[in-house]
PDB file of all heavy atoms in Angstrom:
ATOM      1  N   VAL A   1       4.396  13.318 -20.550  1.00 92.00           N
ATOM      2  CA  VAL A   1       4.532  11.985 -19.958  1.00 92.00           C
ATOM      3  C   VAL A   1       5.980  11.657 -20.118  1.00 92.00           C
ATOM      4  O   VAL A   1       6.506  11.791 -21.257  1.00 92.00           O
ATOM      5  CB  VAL A   1       3.592  11.053 -20.657  1.00 92.00           C
ATOM      6  CG1 VAL A   1       3.949   9.634 -20.181  1.00 92.00           C
ATOM      7  CG2 VAL A   1       2.114  11.450 -20.362  1.00 92.00           C
ATOM      8  N   THR A   2       6.608  11.042 -19.189  1.00 95.00           N
ATOM      9  CA  THR A   2       7.929  10.640 -19.315  1.00 95.00           C
ATOM     10  C   THR A   2       8.080   9.073 -19.395  1.00 95.00           C
ATOM     11  O   THR A   2       8.970   8.565 -20.094  1.00 95.00           O
ATOM     12  CB  THR A   2       8.789  11.100 -17.995  1.00 95.00           C
ATOM     13  OG1 THR A   2       8.700  12.388 -17.824  1.00 95.00           O
ATOM     14  CG2 THR A   2      10.270  10.620 -18.146  1.00 95.00           C
ATOM     15  N   ALA A   3       7.168   8.327 -18.748  1.00 95.00           N
ATOM     16  CA  ALA A   3       7.299   6.877 -18.858  1.00 95.00           C
ATOM     17  C   ALA A   3       5.862   6.318 -19.148  1.00 95.00           C
ATOM     18  O   ALA A   3       4.760   7.009 -18.618  1.00 95.00           O
ATOM     19  CB  ALA A   3       7.758   6.276 -17.643  1.00 95.00           C
ATOM     20  N   SER A   4       5.654   5.315 -19.895  1.00 94.00           N
ATOM     21  CA  SER A   4       4.268   4.728 -20.158  1.00 94.00           C
ATOM     22  C   SER A   4       4.380   3.256 -20.252  1.00 94.00           C
ATOM     23  O   SER A   4       5.423   2.690 -20.572  1.00 94.00           O
ATOM     24  CB  SER A   4       3.783   5.447 -21.422  1.00 94.00           C
ATOM     25  OG  SER A   4       4.345   4.938 -22.582  1.00 94.00           O
ATOM     26  N   MET A   5       3.240   2.688 -20.102  1.00 95.00           N
ATOM     27  CA  MET A   5       3.002   1.230 -20.343  1.00 95.00           C
ATOM     28  C   MET A   5       1.588   1.016 -20.861  1.00 95.00           C
ATOM     29  O   MET A   5       0.709   1.731 -20.417  1.00 95.00           O
ATOM     30  CB  MET A   5       3.241   0.464 -19.027  1.00 95.00           C
ATOM     31  CG  MET A   5       3.261  -1.048 -19.203  1.00 95.00           C
ATOM     32  SD  MET A   5       3.648  -2.001 -17.656  1.00 95.00           S
ATOM     33  CE  MET A   5       1.963  -1.912 -16.785  1.00 95.00           C
ATOM     34  N   SER A   6       1.496   0.188 -21.744  1.00 93.00           N
ATOM     35  CA  SER A   6       0.147  -0.148 -22.413  1.00 93.00           C
ATOM     36  C   SER A   6      -0.061  -1.641 -22.455  1.00 93.00           C
ATOM     37  O   SER A   6       0.920  -2.415 -22.789  1.00 93.00           O
ATOM     38  CB  SER A   6       0.059   0.443 -23.794  1.00 93.00           C
ATOM     39  OG  SER A   6       1.054   0.032 -24.640  1.00 93.00           O
ATOM     40  N   ILE A   7      -1.227  -2.035 -22.113  1.00 93.00           N
ATOM     41  CA  ILE A   7      -1.675  -3.439 -22.166  1.00 93.00           C
ATOM     42  C   ILE A   7      -2.814  -3.650 -23.110  1.00 93.00           C
ATOM     43  O   ILE A   7      -3.870  -2.928 -22.925  1.00 93.00           O
ATOM     44  CB  ILE A   7      -2.033  -3.932 -20.713  1.00 93.00           C
ATOM     45  CG1 ILE A   7      -0.872  -3.596 -19.745  1.00 93.00           C
ATOM     46  CG2 ILE A   7      -2.371  -5.469 -20.751  1.00 93.00           C
ATOM     47  CD1 ILE A   7      -1.357  -3.632 -18.303  1.00 93.00           C
ATOM     48  N   SER A   8      -2.720  -4.497 -24.131  1.00 92.00           N
ATOM     49  CA  SER A   8      -3.703  -4.682 -25.058  1.00 92.00           C
ATOM     50  C   SER A   8      -4.921  -5.401 -24.494  1.00 92.00           C
ATOM     51  O   SER A   8      -4.801  -6.326 -23.749  1.00 92.00           O
ATOM     52  CB  SER A   8      -3.220  -5.436 -26.225  1.00 92.00           C
ATOM     53  OG  SER A   8      -2.075  -4.763 -26.835  1.00 92.00           O
ATOM     54  N   LEU A   9      -6.108  -4.954 -24.918  1.00 92.00           N
ATOM     55  CA  LEU A   9      -7.367  -5.554 -24.609  1.00 92.00           C
ATOM     56  C   LEU A   9      -7.974  -5.976 -25.976  1.00 92.00           C
ATOM     57  O   LEU A   9      -8.286  -5.191 -26.766  1.00 92.00           O
ATOM     58  CB  LEU A   9      -8.359  -4.729 -23.799  1.00 92.00           C
ATOM     59  CG  LEU A   9      -7.746  -4.207 -22.428  1.00 92.00           C
ATOM     60  CD1 LEU A   9      -8.737  -3.042 -21.837  1.00 92.00           C
ATOM     61  CD2 LEU A   9      -7.660  -5.306 -21.489  1.00 92.00           C
ATOM     62  N   ASN A  10      -8.082  -7.254 -26.117  1.00 90.00           N
ATOM     63  CA  ASN A  10      -8.609  -7.843 -27.374  1.00 90.00           C
ATOM     64  C   ASN A  10     -10.024  -8.567 -27.200  1.00 90.00           C
ATOM     65  O   ASN A  10     -10.206  -9.221 -26.198  1.00 90.00           O
ATOM     66  CB  ASN A  10      -7.604  -8.915 -27.967  1.00 90.00           C
ATOM     67  CG  ASN A  10      -6.272  -8.284 -28.228  1.00 90.00           C
ATOM     68  OD1 ASN A  10      -6.232  -7.260 -28.942  1.00 90.00           O
ATOM     69  ND2 ASN A  10      -5.243  -8.834 -27.604  1.00 90.00           N
ATOM     70  N   LYS A  11     -10.843  -8.388 -28.175  1.00 88.00           N
ATOM     71  CA  LYS A  11     -12.129  -9.020 -28.153  1.00 88.00           C
ATOM     72  C   LYS A  11     -12.360  -9.584 -29.598  1.00 88.00           C
ATOM     73  O   LYS A  11     -12.323  -8.916 -30.602  1.00 88.00           O
ATOM     74  CB  LYS A  11     -13.232  -8.070 -27.792  1.00 88.00           C
ATOM     75  CG  LYS A  11     -14.554  -8.708 -27.817  1.00 88.00           C
ATOM     76  CD  LYS A  11     -15.653  -7.668 -27.227  1.00 88.00           C
ATOM     77  CE  LYS A  11     -17.046  -8.206 -27.419  1.00 88.00           C
ATOM     78  NZ  LYS A  11     -17.630  -8.160 -28.758  1.00 88.00           N
ATOM     79  N   ASP A  12     -12.798 -10.929 -29.621  1.00 83.00           N
ATOM     80  CA  ASP A  12     -12.911 -11.524 -30.904  1.00 83.00           C
ATOM     81  C   ASP A  12     -11.697 -11.361 -31.845  1.00 83.00           C
ATOM     82  O   ASP A  12     -11.948 -11.050 -33.087  1.00 83.00           O
ATOM     83  CB  ASP A  12     -14.244 -11.036 -31.550  1.00 83.00           C
ATOM     84  CG  ASP A  12     -15.395 -11.281 -30.687  1.00 83.00           C
ATOM     85  OD1 ASP A  12     -15.529 -12.360 -29.986  1.00 83.00           O
ATOM     86  OD2 ASP A  12     -16.406 -10.487 -30.805  1.00 83.00           O
ATOM     87  N   LYS A  13     -10.539 -11.474 -31.200  1.00 83.00           N
ATOM     88  CA  LYS A  13      -9.305 -11.428 -31.999  1.00 83.00           C
ATOM     89  C   LYS A  13      -9.063 -10.103 -32.670  1.00 83.00           C
ATOM     90  O   LYS A  13      -8.204  -9.908 -33.550  1.00 83.00           O
ATOM     91  CB  LYS A  13      -9.219 -12.443 -33.100  1.00 83.00           C
ATOM     92  CG  LYS A  13      -9.171 -13.868 -32.510  1.00 83.00           C
ATOM     93  CD  LYS A  13      -9.011 -14.975 -33.665  1.00 83.00           C
ATOM     94  CE  LYS A  13      -9.085 -16.356 -32.994  1.00 83.00           C
ATOM     95  NZ  LYS A  13      -8.958 -17.345 -34.095  1.00 83.00           N
ATOM     96  N   LYS A  14      -9.703  -9.064 -32.208  1.00 87.00           N
ATOM     97  CA  LYS A  14      -9.542  -7.605 -32.571  1.00 87.00           C
ATOM     98  C   LYS A  14      -9.193  -6.799 -31.358  1.00 87.00           C
ATOM     99  O   LYS A  14      -9.623  -6.977 -30.275  1.00 87.00           O
ATOM    100  CB  LYS A  14     -10.813  -7.164 -33.317  1.00 87.00           C
ATOM    101  CG  LYS A  14     -11.089  -7.904 -34.530  1.00 87.00           C
ATOM    102  CD  LYS A  14     -12.387  -7.406 -35.257  1.00 87.00           C
ATOM    103  CE  LYS A  14     -12.622  -8.059 -36.552  1.00 87.00           C
ATOM    104  NZ  LYS A  14     -13.899  -7.619 -37.204  1.00 87.00           N
ATOM    105  N   LEU A  15      -8.453  -5.707 -31.667  1.00 90.00           N
ATOM    106  CA  LEU A  15      -8.038  -4.686 -30.585  1.00 90.00           C
ATOM    107  C   LEU A  15      -9.328  -3.966 -30.154  1.00 90.00           C
ATOM    108  O   LEU A  15      -9.815  -3.200 -30.907  1.00 90.00           O
ATOM    109  CB  LEU A  15      -6.989  -3.835 -31.189  1.00 90.00           C
ATOM    110  CG  LEU A  15      -6.232  -2.928 -30.039  1.00 90.00           C
ATOM    111  CD1 LEU A  15      -5.577  -3.807 -29.084  1.00 90.00           C
ATOM    112  CD2 LEU A  15      -5.332  -1.963 -30.729  1.00 90.00           C
ATOM    113  N   TRP A  16      -9.775  -4.213 -28.965  1.00 91.00           N
ATOM    114  CA  TRP A  16     -10.873  -3.538 -28.394  1.00 91.00           C
ATOM    115  C   TRP A  16     -10.495  -2.160 -27.616  1.00 91.00           C
ATOM    116  O   TRP A  16     -11.245  -1.199 -27.665  1.00 91.00           O
ATOM    117  CB  TRP A  16     -11.491  -4.476 -27.363  1.00 91.00           C
ATOM    118  CG  TRP A  16     -12.787  -3.911 -26.636  1.00 91.00           C
ATOM    119  CD1 TRP A  16     -14.041  -3.998 -27.029  1.00 91.00           C
ATOM    120  CD2 TRP A  16     -12.758  -3.210 -25.394  1.00 91.00           C
ATOM    121  NE1 TRP A  16     -14.864  -3.409 -26.142  1.00 91.00           N
ATOM    122  CE2 TRP A  16     -14.174  -2.873 -25.003  1.00 91.00           C
ATOM    123  CE3 TRP A  16     -11.794  -2.767 -24.430  1.00 91.00           C
ATOM    124  CZ2 TRP A  16     -14.527  -2.212 -23.891  1.00 91.00           C
ATOM    125  CZ3 TRP A  16     -12.169  -2.228 -23.323  1.00 91.00           C
ATOM    126  CH2 TRP A  16     -13.539  -1.884 -23.080  1.00 91.00           C
ATOM    127  N   GLY A  17      -9.369  -2.164 -27.012  1.00 91.00           N
ATOM    128  CA  GLY A  17      -8.846  -1.057 -26.240  1.00 91.00           C
ATOM    129  C   GLY A  17      -7.582  -1.264 -25.656  1.00 91.00           C
ATOM    130  O   GLY A  17      -6.842  -2.235 -25.908  1.00 91.00           O
ATOM    131  N   LEU A  18      -7.156  -0.331 -24.782  1.00 93.00           N
ATOM    132  CA  LEU A  18      -5.818  -0.429 -24.153  1.00 93.00           C
ATOM    133  C   LEU A  18      -5.993  -0.051 -22.632  1.00 93.00           C
ATOM    134  O   LEU A  18      -6.832   0.786 -22.330  1.00 93.00           O
ATOM    135  CB  LEU A  18      -4.835   0.536 -24.683  1.00 93.00           C
ATOM    136  CG  LEU A  18      -4.415   0.365 -26.148  1.00 93.00           C
ATOM    137  CD1 LEU A  18      -3.574   1.553 -26.623  1.00 93.00           C
ATOM    138  CD2 LEU A  18      -3.582  -0.950 -26.387  1.00 93.00           C
ATOM    139  N   ILE A  19      -5.184  -0.740 -21.792  1.00 94.00           N
ATOM    140  CA  ILE A  19      -4.931  -0.203 -20.475  1.00 94.00           C
ATOM    141  C   ILE A  19      -3.746   0.689 -20.600  1.00 94.00           C
ATOM    142  O   ILE A  19      -2.603   0.255 -20.844  1.00 94.00           O
ATOM    143  CB  ILE A  19      -4.727  -1.320 -19.388  1.00 94.00           C
ATOM    144  CG1 ILE A  19      -5.902  -2.310 -19.385  1.00 94.00           C
ATOM    145  CG2 ILE A  19      -4.420  -0.745 -18.054  1.00 94.00           C
ATOM    146  CD1 ILE A  19      -5.636  -3.446 -18.507  1.00 94.00           C
ATOM    147  N   ALA A  20      -3.943   2.040 -20.546  1.00 92.00           N
ATOM    148  CA  ALA A  20      -2.832   2.935 -20.790  1.00 92.00           C
ATOM    149  C   ALA A  20      -2.331   3.500 -19.481  1.00 92.00           C
ATOM    150  O   ALA A  20      -3.106   4.060 -18.665  1.00 92.00           O
ATOM    151  CB  ALA A  20      -3.305   4.072 -21.707  1.00 92.00           C
ATOM    152  N   CYS A  21      -1.054   3.367 -19.234  1.00 95.00           N
ATOM    153  CA  CYS A  21      -0.409   3.771 -17.981  1.00 95.00           C
ATOM    154  C   CYS A  21       0.479   4.959 -18.265  1.00 95.00           C
ATOM    155  O   CYS A  21       1.385   4.864 -19.202  1.00 95.00           O
ATOM    156  CB  CYS A  21       0.351   2.741 -17.264  1.00 95.00           C
ATOM    157  SG  CYS A  21      -0.620   1.134 -16.978  1.00 95.00           S
ATOM    158  N   HIS A  22       0.436   6.026 -17.537  1.00 95.00           N
ATOM    159  CA  HIS A  22       1.364   7.223 -17.698  1.00 95.00           C
ATOM    160  C   HIS A  22       2.153   7.544 -16.333  1.00 95.00           C
ATOM    161  O   HIS A  22       1.527   7.488 -15.322  1.00 95.00           O
ATOM    162  CB  HIS A  22       0.550   8.409 -18.153  1.00 95.00           C
ATOM    163  CG  HIS A  22      -0.002   8.363 -19.579  1.00 95.00           C
ATOM    164  ND1 HIS A  22      -0.835   9.333 -20.017  1.00 95.00           N
ATOM    165  CD2 HIS A  22       0.342   7.466 -20.502  1.00 95.00           C
ATOM    166  CE1 HIS A  22      -1.085   9.056 -21.359  1.00 95.00           C
ATOM    167  NE2 HIS A  22      -0.396   7.861 -21.603  1.00 95.00           N
ATOM    168  N   HIS A  23       3.312   7.943 -16.486  1.00 95.00           N
ATOM    169  CA  HIS A  23       4.108   8.386 -15.357  1.00 95.00           C
ATOM    170  C   HIS A  23       4.811   9.610 -15.769  1.00 95.00           C
ATOM    171  O   HIS A  23       5.283   9.863 -16.991  1.00 95.00           O
ATOM    172  CB  HIS A  23       5.114   7.406 -14.900  1.00 95.00           C
ATOM    173  CG  HIS A  23       5.395   7.374 -13.421  1.00 95.00           C
ATOM    174  ND1 HIS A  23       4.484   7.090 -12.427  1.00 95.00           N
ATOM    175  CD2 HIS A  23       6.442   7.679 -12.717  1.00 95.00           C
ATOM    176  CE1 HIS A  23       4.972   7.146 -11.287  1.00 95.00           C
ATOM    177  NE2 HIS A  23       6.152   7.584 -11.450  1.00 95.00           N
ATOM    178  N   TYR A  24       5.034  10.575 -14.871  1.00 95.00           N
ATOM    179  CA  TYR A  24       5.563  11.846 -15.205  1.00 95.00           C
ATOM    180  C   TYR A  24       7.051  12.055 -14.736  1.00 95.00           C
ATOM    181  O   TYR A  24       7.572  13.128 -14.726  1.00 95.00           O
ATOM    182  CB  TYR A  24       4.682  13.010 -14.619  1.00 95.00           C
ATOM    183  CG  TYR A  24       3.341  12.980 -15.265  1.00 95.00           C
ATOM    184  CD1 TYR A  24       2.282  12.150 -14.685  1.00 95.00           C
ATOM    185  CD2 TYR A  24       3.031  13.658 -16.416  1.00 95.00           C
ATOM    186  CE1 TYR A  24       1.033  12.177 -15.294  1.00 95.00           C
ATOM    187  CE2 TYR A  24       1.844  13.580 -17.042  1.00 95.00           C
ATOM    188  CZ  TYR A  24       0.852  12.786 -16.413  1.00 95.00           C
ATOM    189  OH  TYR A  24      -0.396  12.733 -17.056  1.00 95.00           O
ATOM    190  N   SER A  25       7.669  10.881 -14.510  1.00 95.00           N
ATOM    191  CA  SER A  25       9.105  10.755 -14.287  1.00 95.00           C
ATOM    192  C   SER A  25       9.493   9.418 -14.768  1.00 95.00           C
ATOM    193  O   SER A  25       8.680   8.547 -14.948  1.00 95.00           O
ATOM    194  CB  SER A  25       9.534  11.003 -12.818  1.00 95.00           C
ATOM    195  OG  SER A  25       8.809  10.012 -12.028  1.00 95.00           O
ATOM    196  N   PRO A  26      10.852   9.073 -14.992  1.00 95.00           N
ATOM    197  CA  PRO A  26      11.188   7.753 -15.465  1.00 95.00           C
ATOM    198  C   PRO A  26      10.677   6.739 -14.515  1.00 95.00           C
ATOM    199  O   PRO A  26      10.736   6.843 -13.280  1.00 95.00           O
ATOM    200  CB  PRO A  26      12.709   7.919 -15.532  1.00 95.00           C
ATOM    201  CG  PRO A  26      13.072   9.264 -15.630  1.00 95.00           C
ATOM    202  CD  PRO A  26      11.898   9.973 -14.861  1.00 95.00           C
ATOM    203  N   LYS A  27      10.289   5.613 -15.142  1.00 94.00           N
ATOM    204  CA  LYS A  27       9.743   4.480 -14.256  1.00 94.00           C
ATOM    205  C   LYS A  27       9.970   3.135 -15.065  1.00 94.00           C
ATOM    206  O   LYS A  27       9.537   2.908 -16.149  1.00 94.00           O
ATOM    207  CB  LYS A  27       8.276   4.735 -13.974  1.00 94.00           C
ATOM    208  CG  LYS A  27       7.636   3.562 -13.130  1.00 94.00           C
ATOM    209  CD  LYS A  27       6.292   3.821 -12.708  1.00 94.00           C
ATOM    210  CE  LYS A  27       5.734   2.826 -11.663  1.00 94.00           C
ATOM    211  NZ  LYS A  27       6.564   2.843 -10.455  1.00 94.00           N
ATOM    212  N   TYR A  28      10.679   2.304 -14.368  1.00 92.00           N
ATOM    213  CA  TYR A  28      10.872   0.955 -14.925  1.00 92.00           C
ATOM    214  C   TYR A  28      10.013  -0.017 -14.094  1.00 92.00           C
ATOM    215  O   TYR A  28       9.899   0.050 -12.824  1.00 92.00           O
ATOM    216  CB  TYR A  28      12.393   0.509 -14.750  1.00 92.00           C
ATOM    217  CG  TYR A  28      12.652  -0.950 -15.200  1.00 92.00           C
ATOM    218  CD1 TYR A  28      12.701  -1.209 -16.581  1.00 92.00           C
ATOM    219  CD2 TYR A  28      12.753  -1.937 -14.368  1.00 92.00           C
ATOM    220  CE1 TYR A  28      12.927  -2.564 -17.077  1.00 92.00           C
ATOM    221  CE2 TYR A  28      12.953  -3.271 -14.765  1.00 92.00           C
ATOM    222  CZ  TYR A  28      13.026  -3.435 -16.036  1.00 92.00           C
ATOM    223  OH  TYR A  28      13.271  -4.789 -16.584  1.00 92.00           O
ATOM    224  N   VAL A  29       9.482  -1.008 -14.826  1.00 90.00           N
ATOM    225  CA  VAL A  29       8.538  -1.934 -14.144  1.00 90.00           C
ATOM    226  C   VAL A  29       9.152  -3.301 -14.481  1.00 90.00           C
ATOM    227  O   VAL A  29       9.470  -3.699 -15.710  1.00 90.00           O
ATOM    228  CB  VAL A  29       7.084  -1.864 -14.710  1.00 90.00           C
ATOM    229  CG1 VAL A  29       6.228  -2.993 -13.995  1.00 90.00           C
ATOM    230  CG2 VAL A  29       6.432  -0.530 -14.500  1.00 90.00           C
ATOM    231  N   SER A  30       9.348  -4.091 -13.495  1.00 86.00           N
ATOM    232  CA  SER A  30      10.082  -5.421 -13.631  1.00 86.00           C
ATOM    233  C   SER A  30       9.171  -6.371 -14.527  1.00 86.00           C
ATOM    234  O   SER A  30       7.982  -6.245 -14.658  1.00 86.00           O
ATOM    235  CB  SER A  30      10.318  -6.107 -12.261  1.00 86.00           C
ATOM    236  OG  SER A  30       9.037  -6.479 -11.651  1.00 86.00           O
ATOM    237  N   TYR A  31       9.882  -7.339 -15.015  1.00 83.00           N
ATOM    238  CA  TYR A  31       9.190  -8.389 -15.906  1.00 83.00           C
ATOM    239  C   TYR A  31       8.116  -9.070 -15.016  1.00 83.00           C
ATOM    240  O   TYR A  31       7.002  -9.309 -15.607  1.00 83.00           O
ATOM    241  CB  TYR A  31      10.176  -9.397 -16.411  1.00 83.00           C
ATOM    242  CG  TYR A  31       9.661 -10.127 -17.581  1.00 83.00           C
ATOM    243  CD1 TYR A  31       9.658  -9.611 -18.910  1.00 83.00           C
ATOM    244  CD2 TYR A  31       9.000 -11.363 -17.416  1.00 83.00           C
ATOM    245  CE1 TYR A  31       9.185 -10.396 -19.934  1.00 83.00           C
ATOM    246  CE2 TYR A  31       8.458 -12.042 -18.446  1.00 83.00           C
ATOM    247  CZ  TYR A  31       8.534 -11.540 -19.731  1.00 83.00           C
ATOM    248  OH  TYR A  31       8.004 -12.269 -20.840  1.00 83.00           O
ATOM    249  N   GLU A  32       8.333  -9.317 -13.799  1.00 81.00           N
ATOM    250  CA  GLU A  32       7.335 -10.048 -13.041  1.00 81.00           C
ATOM    251  C   GLU A  32       6.039  -9.184 -12.913  1.00 81.00           C
ATOM    252  O   GLU A  32       4.985  -9.802 -13.036  1.00 81.00           O
ATOM    253  CB  GLU A  32       7.859 -10.350 -11.643  1.00 81.00           C
ATOM    254  CG  GLU A  32       8.914 -11.493 -11.528  1.00 81.00           C
ATOM    255  CD  GLU A  32      10.301 -11.071 -11.894  1.00 81.00           C
ATOM    256  OE1 GLU A  32      10.512  -9.852 -12.072  1.00 81.00           O
ATOM    257  OE2 GLU A  32      11.186 -11.839 -11.741  1.00 81.00           O
ATOM    258  N   VAL A  33       6.221  -8.018 -12.518  1.00 86.00           N
ATOM    259  CA  VAL A  33       5.075  -7.104 -12.462  1.00 86.00           C
ATOM    260  C   VAL A  33       4.275  -6.960 -13.703  1.00 86.00           C
ATOM    261  O   VAL A  33       3.006  -7.000 -13.807  1.00 86.00           O
ATOM    262  CB  VAL A  33       5.434  -5.760 -11.838  1.00 86.00           C
ATOM    263  CG1 VAL A  33       4.210  -4.809 -11.758  1.00 86.00           C
ATOM    264  CG2 VAL A  33       6.029  -5.939 -10.399  1.00 86.00           C
ATOM    265  N   ARG A  34       5.159  -6.756 -14.797  1.00 87.00           N
ATOM    266  CA  ARG A  34       4.515  -6.637 -16.124  1.00 87.00           C
ATOM    267  C   ARG A  34       3.723  -7.897 -16.499  1.00 87.00           C
ATOM    268  O   ARG A  34       2.617  -7.925 -17.086  1.00 87.00           O
ATOM    269  CB  ARG A  34       5.615  -6.345 -17.148  1.00 87.00           C
ATOM    270  CG  ARG A  34       6.049  -4.874 -17.249  1.00 87.00           C
ATOM    271  CD  ARG A  34       7.486  -4.729 -17.548  1.00 87.00           C
ATOM    272  NE  ARG A  34       7.984  -5.460 -18.819  1.00 87.00           N
ATOM    273  CZ  ARG A  34       9.179  -5.674 -19.018  1.00 87.00           C
ATOM    274  NH1 ARG A  34      10.062  -5.182 -18.227  1.00 87.00           N
ATOM    275  NH2 ARG A  34       9.514  -6.309 -20.118  1.00 87.00           N
ATOM    276  N   THR A  35       4.273  -9.087 -16.137  1.00 85.00           N
ATOM    277  CA  THR A  35       3.625 -10.370 -16.461  1.00 85.00           C
ATOM    278  C   THR A  35       2.266 -10.405 -15.674  1.00 85.00           C
ATOM    279  O   THR A  35       1.254 -10.834 -16.235  1.00 85.00           O
ATOM    280  CB  THR A  35       4.474 -11.552 -16.005  1.00 85.00           C
ATOM    281  OG1 THR A  35       5.703 -11.415 -16.724  1.00 85.00           O
ATOM    282  CG2 THR A  35       3.777 -12.809 -16.330  1.00 85.00           C
ATOM    283  N   ALA A  36       2.305  -9.854 -14.417  1.00 87.00           N
ATOM    284  CA  ALA A  36       1.022  -9.884 -13.746  1.00 87.00           C
ATOM    285  C   ALA A  36       0.076  -8.979 -14.413  1.00 87.00           C
ATOM    286  O   ALA A  36      -1.153  -9.304 -14.486  1.00 87.00           O
ATOM    287  CB  ALA A  36       1.311  -9.400 -12.245  1.00 87.00           C
ATOM    288  N   CYS A  37       0.455  -7.844 -14.838  1.00 91.00           N
ATOM    289  CA  CYS A  37      -0.451  -6.811 -15.533  1.00 91.00           C
ATOM    290  C   CYS A  37      -0.992  -7.398 -16.753  1.00 91.00           C
ATOM    291  O   CYS A  37      -2.147  -7.236 -17.200  1.00 91.00           O
ATOM    292  CB  CYS A  37       0.278  -5.480 -15.674  1.00 91.00           C
ATOM    293  SG  CYS A  37       0.625  -4.648 -14.177  1.00 91.00           S
ATOM    294  N   GLU A  38      -0.094  -8.057 -17.538  1.00 90.00           N
ATOM    295  CA  GLU A  38      -0.403  -8.628 -18.862  1.00 90.00           C
ATOM    296  C   GLU A  38      -1.443  -9.817 -18.586  1.00 90.00           C
ATOM    297  O   GLU A  38      -2.496  -9.899 -19.362  1.00 90.00           O
ATOM    298  CB  GLU A  38       0.772  -9.213 -19.539  1.00 90.00           C
ATOM    299  CG  GLU A  38       0.400  -9.821 -20.893  1.00 90.00           C
ATOM    300  CD  GLU A  38       1.658 -10.467 -21.598  1.00 90.00           C
ATOM    301  OE1 GLU A  38       2.811 -10.195 -21.030  1.00 90.00           O
ATOM    302  OE2 GLU A  38       1.520 -11.224 -22.458  1.00 90.00           O
ATOM    303  N   PHE A  39      -1.293 -10.541 -17.522  1.00 88.00           N
ATOM    304  CA  PHE A  39      -2.296 -11.567 -17.190  1.00 88.00           C
ATOM    305  C   PHE A  39      -3.650 -10.965 -16.850  1.00 88.00           C
ATOM    306  O   PHE A  39      -4.669 -11.510 -17.304  1.00 88.00           O
ATOM    307  CB  PHE A  39      -1.710 -12.394 -16.030  1.00 88.00           C
ATOM    308  CG  PHE A  39      -2.596 -13.620 -15.601  1.00 88.00           C
ATOM    309  CD1 PHE A  39      -2.715 -14.590 -16.523  1.00 88.00           C
ATOM    310  CD2 PHE A  39      -3.186 -13.696 -14.444  1.00 88.00           C
ATOM    311  CE1 PHE A  39      -3.549 -15.673 -16.210  1.00 88.00           C
ATOM    312  CE2 PHE A  39      -3.986 -14.684 -14.103  1.00 88.00           C
ATOM    313  CZ  PHE A  39      -4.193 -15.585 -14.993  1.00 88.00           C
ATOM    314  N   LEU A  40      -3.633  -9.931 -16.169  1.00 91.00           N
ATOM    315  CA  LEU A  40      -4.859  -9.206 -15.804  1.00 91.00           C
ATOM    316  C   LEU A  40      -5.568  -8.686 -17.151  1.00 91.00           C
ATOM    317  O   LEU A  40      -6.749  -8.790 -17.234  1.00 91.00           O
ATOM    318  CB  LEU A  40      -4.629  -8.011 -14.868  1.00 91.00           C
ATOM    319  CG  LEU A  40      -4.384  -8.272 -13.456  1.00 91.00           C
ATOM    320  CD1 LEU A  40      -4.218  -7.011 -12.645  1.00 91.00           C
ATOM    321  CD2 LEU A  40      -5.475  -9.116 -12.787  1.00 91.00           C
ATOM    322  N   GLY A  41      -4.720  -8.236 -18.110  1.00 92.00           N
ATOM    323  CA  GLY A  41      -5.298  -7.705 -19.391  1.00 92.00           C
ATOM    324  C   GLY A  41      -5.940  -8.863 -20.122  1.00 92.00           C
ATOM    325  O   GLY A  41      -6.913  -8.754 -20.713  1.00 92.00           O
ATOM    326  N   GLN A  42      -5.256 -10.147 -19.968  1.00 90.00           N
ATOM    327  CA  GLN A  42      -5.883 -11.314 -20.699  1.00 90.00           C
ATOM    328  C   GLN A  42      -7.207 -11.743 -19.993  1.00 90.00           C
ATOM    329  O   GLN A  42      -8.148 -12.039 -20.714  1.00 90.00           O
ATOM    330  CB  GLN A  42      -4.864 -12.448 -20.670  1.00 90.00           C
ATOM    331  CG  GLN A  42      -3.716 -12.184 -21.652  1.00 90.00           C
ATOM    332  CD  GLN A  42      -2.665 -13.318 -21.626  1.00 90.00           C
ATOM    333  OE1 GLN A  42      -1.900 -13.493 -20.825  1.00 90.00           O
ATOM    334  NE2 GLN A  42      -2.996 -14.355 -22.531  1.00 90.00           N
ATOM    335  N   VAL A  43      -7.183 -11.655 -18.806  1.00 90.00           N
ATOM    336  CA  VAL A  43      -8.396 -12.036 -18.001  1.00 90.00           C
ATOM    337  C   VAL A  43      -9.493 -11.025 -18.377  1.00 90.00           C
ATOM    338  O   VAL A  43     -10.675 -11.484 -18.714  1.00 90.00           O
ATOM    339  CB  VAL A  43      -8.276 -12.024 -16.494  1.00 90.00           C
ATOM    340  CG1 VAL A  43      -9.432 -12.211 -15.798  1.00 90.00           C
ATOM    341  CG2 VAL A  43      -7.210 -13.137 -16.103  1.00 90.00           C
TER     342      VAL A  43
END
């Protein structure tokens, strides 16, 4: 893996799991897109 992104999934204030993203070449994700993904993780 060359690039990765992880989004925390919490239940009852404890870490339940992760949304784990892998890419096999360099990859930058803008703050706006990351915010959208983080929001989905919170939902």
